[in-house]
């Protein structure tokens, strides 16, 4: 159940961040509300996740997967350049999450 909540937190954070892109500096109502609701849900789910998972494990997965997903969305859907440096950075973020999780701590 903790990993399902963590997945929901990641999805909500990614939707909130994507909405922020379209909020134009919080000058557009609906994308701004989408940002606020996305982050509210993300933090609520993350807080529930922390009842059973260690903070290091949960946060590493939440931030790492969210970062990689947003970078991918930027490159695939928002016209951001898919440079070698950016792709290597995403791989390193994912590798960091894996290494942190191999250390245990559930």
């Amino acid at each position: 159940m903790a990993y399902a909540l963590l997945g929901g937190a990641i999805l909500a954070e990614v939707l909130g961040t994507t909405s922020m892109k379209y909020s134009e500096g919080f000058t557009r109502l609906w994308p701004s509300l989408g940002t606020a609701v996305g982050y509210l849900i993300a933090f609520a789910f993350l807080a529930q996740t922390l009842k059973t998972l260690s903070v290091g494990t949960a946060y590493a997965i939440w931030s790492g997967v969210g970062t990689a997903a947003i970078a991918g969305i930027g490159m695939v859907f928002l016209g951001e350049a898919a440079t070698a440096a950016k792709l290597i950075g995403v791989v390193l973020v994912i590798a960091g999450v894996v290494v942190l999780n191999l250390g245990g701590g559930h």
Side-chain angles (χ1 to χ4, degrees):
M1 184 61 167
Y3 285 103
L5 284 169
L6 186 56
I10 293 166
L11 179 61
E13 187 264 337
V14 167
L15 292 173
T17 302
T18 304
S19 293
M20 191 183 310
K21 167 69 176 167
Y22 292 105
S23 75
E24 296 180 17
F26 297 114
T27 60
R28 296 182 61 216
L29 177 62
W30 294 113
S32 298
L33 288 175
T35 300
V37 169
Y39 275 96
L40 181 67
I41 293 169
F43 283 115
F45 282 8
L46 183 60
Q48 295 304 308
T49 300
L50 295 178
K51 290 180 177 180
T52 55
L53 289 180
S54 71
V55 69
T57 298
Y59 194 75
I61 295 169
W62 182 67
S63 61
V65 173
T67 298
I70 288 298
I73 288 169
M75 289 182 278
V76 174
F77 298 108
L78 301 176
E80 296 178 8
T83 64
K86 190 177 284 188
L87 296 172
I88 290 168
V90 169
V91 168
L92 289 172
V93 167
I94 293 168
V97 170
V98 170
V99 169
L100 284 170
N101 281 296
L102 289 176
H106 289 272

